Amino acid sequence: MSYYYVVPPRRTVVVRRIALAALALVLGGALLASYALARPVTVEVDGSVVEVPAGAVVADLERMKVFKAPPGDLIAVDGTVAKRGGGAPARLLRNGQPANPAERLYRGDVLISRRGADVPESLEETRLPIAYETSVRGKGSLSTVTRAGRPGVQLVKRGVVSHLVVDSVVLVEPVDEVITRSGPKPGAKLVALTFDDGPWPGFTARVLDELEKAGVKATFFMLGGQVKRYPQIARRVAEEGHLLASHSLGHKYFSKISAGQIKREVNGGRNVIRAATGVTTNWIRPPYGAMDVEAWRVVRASGAKVVLWDVDSGDWRKPGEKVIANTVVKHVTPGSIVLMHDGGGDRSQTVKAIPILVKKLKAKGYVFVTVEELVNAKGVTKAPAARAAAANRPK
Ligand code: NI
């Protein structure tokens, strides 16, 4: 029996073995390389061991917030810190050399951080307004703006962040506002009775009855809150020909509340009176007569006209109707504005004082007018408006 045993050519066998070995080498190398690539890298950061993924760069360590040194500060123009950490970032060293954030990390790298440099804030030039002052001059129950205020302008060089000024030049000087107080000065013997803090149930009606009997028109400084509660009384005051005026919404000290609150008090009082009576009034008497410079500004900006008084009847002390009447009669001069009350409590003494003081003042030649008539009667030397005269005719 015979058979063939086919032997491949020797050259072919050698080629195959080399190919196999090469393949094994390539595969093994790739395996090793991928193992090395995937293996985390251990480095030292500011004395601590930190492990980062293979292929990580310096910037990755920054994102991990493992460096201990802080950035520098932003320094204001006066040398204080304007913004902590607002300066240059921390300096990073890798193996003793400045580190580049994009550099790849290798096992055993030593990284150290150093506090960043402080940076001075930059300067800017800007124009700022210079506020004007308001001064109140003189005395008297009325006020007018005798000089309008105007803000000035200054050119300042200042720190962009701290806003601390290092240099400034005034370009335009401010003009201060002047409010001058004075009393009405009619040449004739005119006097205005005014009643505050109403409408008040009971007493406002009795005051109206007495005024009607005496033929006198007066001015009522009403509180918005009271008008809301008793709109029908407010309407009666208007219907009987008296002047409606505001005493604010809630009787707050204007000098103790904010500008925004003063505005609400002024506008609120006026709005409530308008809603209840249809009368739009621009006359206002601030509660307690308390006005500071800010209050003057706010009230003036609202268009309201401030009315105080020069004769305080003292009726709020309740000294008896005779004392009230005598106080008024003694102090009234031509153009006087008399403070009395129809609201705020028991006003029966005020009610009883009205006929007494009206009779005595009429005997002295006085004519009773509203505040508006009094203000408009500036310089009037003879009998005032026909309406006032007619209203004052005894009945
Ligand atoms: Ni009052």
Side-chain angles (χ1 to χ4, degrees):
M1 163 180 147
S2 71
Y3 54 87
Y4 291 100
Y5 182 75
V6 180
V7 178
R10 173 127 192 104
R11 215 171 126 251
T12 315
V13 171
V14 170
V15 168
R16 273 195 197 150
R17 282 188 184 155
I18 289 171
L20 276 172
L23 184 64
L25 263 175
V26 168
L27 283 175
L31 262 172
L32 269 172
S34 64
Y35 174 70
L37 276 174
R39 206 171 149 214
V41 174
T42 304
V43 296
E44 189 188 311
V45 180
D46 286 335
S48 303
V49 174
V50 175
E51 204 170 68
V52 291
V57 294
V58 172
D60 292 323
L61 286 175
E62 291 182 277
R63 277 191 281 277
M64 290 164 71
K65 299 194 188 306
V66 287
F67 289 108
K68 288 177 182 157
D73 294 331
L74 187 68
I75 304 300
V77 289
D78 66 345
T80 59
V81 174
K83 192 182 171 202
R84 194 153 300 282
R91 282 182 303 125
L92 306 180
L93 298 175
R94 174 166 170 266
N95 304 327
Q97 298 297 315
N100 180 336
E103 276 173 354
R104 187 171 162 181
L105 295 165
Y106 294 100
R107 186 212 294 244
D109 277 351
V110 176
L111 293 113
I112 294 170
S113 63
R114 297 258 183 269
R115 187 178 179 279
D118 289 341
V119 174
E121 67 174 331
S122 42
L123 297 174
E124 64 178 3
E125 260 194 353
T126 184
R127 280 156 195 259
L128 294 179
I130 308 173
Y132 61 81
E133 305 281 311
T134 296
S135 60
V136 183
R137 291 179 189 165
K139 283 185 174 175
S141 42
L142 304 172
S143 67
T144 45
V145 177
T146 44
R147 192 172 70 197
R150 196 189 63 204
V153 181
Q154 61 180 333
L155 184 67
V156 301
K157 195 185 272 182
R158 64 180 185 180
V160 167
V161 176
S162 69
H163 283 184
L164 287 168
V165 173
V166 289
D167 196 18
S168 79
V169 184
V170 174
L171 299 179
V172 181
E173 291 281 355
V175 176
D176 290 345
E177 175 182 70
V178 178
I179 290 168
T180 303
R181 286 180 55 179
S182 62
K185 287 185 183 61
K189 286 184 163 182
L190 303 185
V191 58
L193 297 185
T194 66
F195 295 89
D196 285 13
D197 300 345
W200 204 267
F203 295 107
T204 301
R206 287 174 63 191
V207 166
L208 289 172
D209 291 345
E210 290 299 335
L211 294 175
E212 174 73 19
K213 272 190 256 172
V216 166
K217 297 299 178 204
T219 303
F220 287 77
F221 289 93
M222 299 178 172
L223 284 172
Q226 291 297 104
V227 174
K228 252 189 225 172
R229 252 167 249 137
Y230 308 107
Q232 72 286 359
I233 306 179
R235 278 194 287 274
R236 184 183 158 192
V237 176
E239 280 157 13
E240 298 193 3
H242 301 286
L243 180 66
L244 266 55
S246 169
H247 194 34
S248 84
L249 191 59
H251 213 272
K252 296 193 167 78
Y253 266 101
F254 282 7
S255 48
K256 290 183 184 172
I257 58 178
S258 72
Q261 285 172 306
I262 297 172
K263 209 171 162 184
R264 278 196 290 281
E265 285 291 313
V266 172
N267 294 336
R270 183 162 47 190
N271 293 343
V272 170
I273 292 171
R274 185 191 296 131
T277 66
V279 174
T280 302
T281 182
N282 270 330
W283 303 101
I284 186 166
R285 173 171 285 161
Y288 314 99
M291 293 288 281
D292 60 8
V293 163
E294 187 178 57
W296 281 108
R297 279 196 199 187
V298 175
V299 170
R300 187 173 57 66
S302 77
K305 288 177 270 188
V306 173
V307 180
L308 299 175
W309 60 88
D310 62 300
V311 176
D312 180 357
S313 70
D315 63 342
W316 47 275
R317 275 189 233 108
K318 299 188 183 126
E321 59 267 24
K322 283 189 184 138
V323 175
I324 295 171
N326 286 339
T327 303
V328 174
V329 172
K330 189 175 158 196
H331 292 105
V332 160
T333 56
S336 275
I337 295 175
V338 182
L339 172 68
M340 301 177 84
H341 296 82
D342 63 320
D346 182 348
R347 298 302 178 202
S348 45
Q349 292 185 4
T350 307
V351 171
K352 289 178 195 156
I354 293 171
I356 306 171
L357 68 90
V358 168
K359 194 179 168 195
K360 288 189 176 177
L361 285 173
K362 279 188 176 175
K364 287 177 135 191
Y366 276 93
V367 173
F368 291 85
V369 291
T370 65
V371 164
E372 193 163 281
E373 288 164 333
L374 187 57
V375 171
N376 292 340
K378 198 175 181 181
V380 167
T381 50
K382 276 205 297 186
R387 196 183 79 63
N392 290 331
R393 203 176 300 129
K395 291 183 180 172

